[in-house]
Amino acid sequence: MGTECAYNSIAVVGTGGYGRHFISALLATRKFVRVRAVTRKTSDDAKRKRLQALQEMGAEIFEYKSSSTESFKQAFNGIHTVISAVSIAAVPDQISMIDGAILANVQWFIPSEYGVAHYPSVWMPFTSPLAPKTVVQKYLSDYAKPKGLSYTIVYTGLALDYLDPKSLGLKLSTGSATLVGRGGSPVSFTAFPDVVSLVVNIVQRPAEMQNRFIRFAGSTTKMRELVKIVTNNDRGENVKIVCIEEAKSKFCELARRQDMSAFQIYSRLLIEEGLGQINRYREPLDNSLFPELHPEPIQQTLRRLIKANEATAKAKLKPNPAHRSATTKSVTDGLGRTQKQLDGED
Ligand SMILES: NC(=O)c1ccc[n+]([C@@H]2O[C@H](COP(=O)([O-])OP(=O)(O)OC[C@H]3O[C@@H](n4cnc5c(N)ncnc54)[C@H](OP(=O)(O)O)[C@@H]3O)[C@@H](O)[C@H]2O)c1
């Protein structure tokens, strides 16, 4: 990697989950003359604090009122590279983002992915929740690229330290698990900080990284291996097995009621079908292009999460001195006499 980045003016759209970490890591490289956070206009206090913190680190802030082409054209004025880190709900807005980027002469657009590849499911007769992301990919390759806007699609598999492990059936607090099927299909995982390092690395290497897919997996393992770590045994104790047909009917029942928990069952079915592996059809992984990255293996991520969970549980059990003094105060008259003394029992 060169010491200076040719595409040194960058915007990140979305300041939530991944976005704000991309912004702070980009600023930390000191390779960019401009790092701009592009965010929806808000008066929400928590978000204002988040924006203020980013600004204090050195980010420019651009707030937009509507997801129109014109708004994004203004947002990307003077920008070479756009990283989109918008939520799944905002994926379709990326079409006007791309149109705005073309009008603003942006040269490189990285759409919001950082997850699994878009393989069609044979098991599930439903449109994939990833379908809008596929539309964006097609728009980039067929429409935007001929107009001079390059793209990079980044697949990293699942980030267990970002998702709630419970959503995959791993119950850390009780050391138990629920598996859909045998848990025997390989799944790609990359820990959250490694995804951030990867994206920051990619945007500094335009010549090598443009107009291609990057498949990076911190590690690949089967769900049943993770279940062994969580339940601390390999005999299936504390493991509830849900049959595939049973999960499919539960999914259909919930989906018909438009119950959002249907999505969790859907994800677990797709994992068991093998669609959580970003190189399911033997597409080569690109890890060797990033020798400076040393991703955390999933087993280590999981152990880290289990430890953090135990520490939180312990902290909840431990008598907190602050709480104790608050209680003491509540039963004294403010001069140190306890309620018992005041009641004349001593
Ligand atoms: N591999 C994994 O395990 C994994 C896990 C989670 C997510 N992902 C993927 O990572 C990408 C980013 O996800 P994320 O979790 O970082 O997103 P998120 O936290 O849900 O949202 C990111 C930001 O999107 C912006 N946004 C713009 N329009 C929005 C709208 N209509 N509704 C909600 N937010 C909107 C908001 O930023 P402002 O308020 O600043 O506008 C929001 O904070 C997605 O493609 C997602 O599918 C992957």
Side-chain angles (χ1 to χ4, degrees):
M1 199 187 307
T3 48
E4 209 154 290
C5 177
Y7 287 50
N8 59 10
S9 185
I10 193 158
V12 177
V13 190
T15 61
Y18 274 114
R20 82 182 125 134
H21 292 272
F22 289 155
I23 294 166
S24 49
L26 288 163
L27 288 165
T29 65
R30 300 184 175 275
K31 299 263 175 69
F32 297 87
V33 295
R34 176 177 294 135
V35 178
R36 184 178 296 160
V38 176
T39 179
R40 293 166 303 165
K41 198 165 180 61
T42 183
S43 53
D44 174 68
D45 276 353
K47 190 170 141 185
R48 293 241 65 89
K49 274 191 192 146
R50 181 164 90 211
L51 295 179
Q52 196 184 337
L54 291 174
Q55 204 164 19
E56 281 163 10
M57 280 185 233
E60 288 178 7
I61 308 290
F62 183 98
E63 295 181 87
Y64 62 94
K65 280 193 195 142
S66 79
S67 307
S68 64
T69 300
E70 186 52 36
S71 300
F72 288 120
K73 179 186 164 198
Q74 286 173 24
F76 302 148
N77 184 28
I79 293 291
H80 302 133
T81 307
V82 172
I83 302 177
S84 171
V86 292
S87 72
I88 192 104
V91 162
D93 293 348
Q94 291 180 119
I95 298 295
S96 43
M97 227 178 264
I98 293 165
D99 289 341
I102 294 169
L103 292 175
N105 292 319
V106 171
Q107 288 150 58
W108 194 5
F109 188 95
I110 300 179
S112 188
E113 290 281 351
Y114 331 116
V116 296
H118 310 182
Y119 298 125
S121 167
V122 177
W123 287 5
M124 308 296 283
F126 292 92
T127 309
S128 158
L130 298 178
K133 288 189 174 181
T134 309
V135 171
V136 170
Q137 286 186 6
K138 202 163 161 43
Y139 196 70
L140 279 168
S141 60
D142 297 1
Y143 175 79
K145 183 172 169 261
K147 293 196 160 16
L149 184 68
S150 295
Y151 66 89
T152 306
I153 309 297
V154 184
Y155 292 146
T156 49
L158 304 178
L160 194 66
D161 52 349
Y162 185 33
L163 294 164
D164 179 356
K166 224 184 192 174
S167 69
L168 299 187
L170 304 172
K171 296 167 201 158
L172 309 193
S173 55
T174 54
S176 62
T178 306
L179 258 185
V180 169
R182 294 164 54 86
S185 308
V187 190
S188 315
F189 291 97
T190 306
F192 187 94
D194 296 324
V195 175
V196 174
S197 304
L198 175 74
V199 171
V200 170
N201 188 300
I202 288 173
V203 294
Q204 294 177 65
R205 298 160 65 181
E208 295 160 82
M209 298 292 158
Q210 286 180 339
N211 301 319
R212 60 178 296 176
F213 286 67
I214 293 291
R215 291 170 199 267
F216 183 95
S219 54
T220 304
T221 197
K222 296 175 180 169
M223 282 308 292
R224 64 169 175 246
E225 298 305 321
L226 301 188
V227 165
K228 276 186 206 166
I229 295 175
V230 172
T231 61
N232 217 9
N233 71 58
D234 56 6
R235 292 191 306 280
E237 280 172 31
N238 297 332
V239 184
K240 180 180 162 196
I241 304 280
V242 178
C243 296
I244 290 163
E245 291 311 318
E246 204 183 334
K248 280 185 188 171
S249 16
K250 186 73 192 165
F251 167 76
C252 291
E253 184 195 321
L254 292 170
R256 267 195 296 271
R257 280 196 262 131
Q258 303 202 329
D259 184 324
M260 288 311 284
S261 53
F263 184 67
Q264 282 188 15
I265 301 179
Y266 188 83
S267 311
R268 291 195 225 168
L269 276 162
L270 295 193
I271 286 173
E272 183 61 7
E273 192 182 343
L275 311 187
Q277 186 182 14
I278 59 173
N279 57 333
R280 173 169 168 74
Y281 296 108
R282 299 188 187 281
E283 300 92 333
L285 286 179
D286 298 304
N287 287 37
S288 62
L289 296 176
F290 305 93
E292 54 279 83
L293 301 188
H294 303 286
E296 181 180 60
I298 183 62
Q299 292 81 356
Q300 208 171 311
T301 308
L302 185 53
R303 291 199 173 95
R304 168 163 68 79
L305 296 175
I306 292 171
K307 261 194 188 160
N309 206 278
E310 284 167 358
T312 313
K314 260 189 203 152
K316 274 189 194 151
L317 282 179
K318 207 168 147 191
N320 183 331
H323 290 164
R324 216 185 304 138
S325 66
T327 318
T328 310
K329 245 189 202 162
S330 71
V331 294
T332 65
D333 66 348
L335 298 170
R337 287 179 298 176
T338 65
Q339 193 64 47
K340 265 188 180 178
Q341 288 166 328
L342 291 170
D343 290 344
E345 284 183 24
D346 284 331

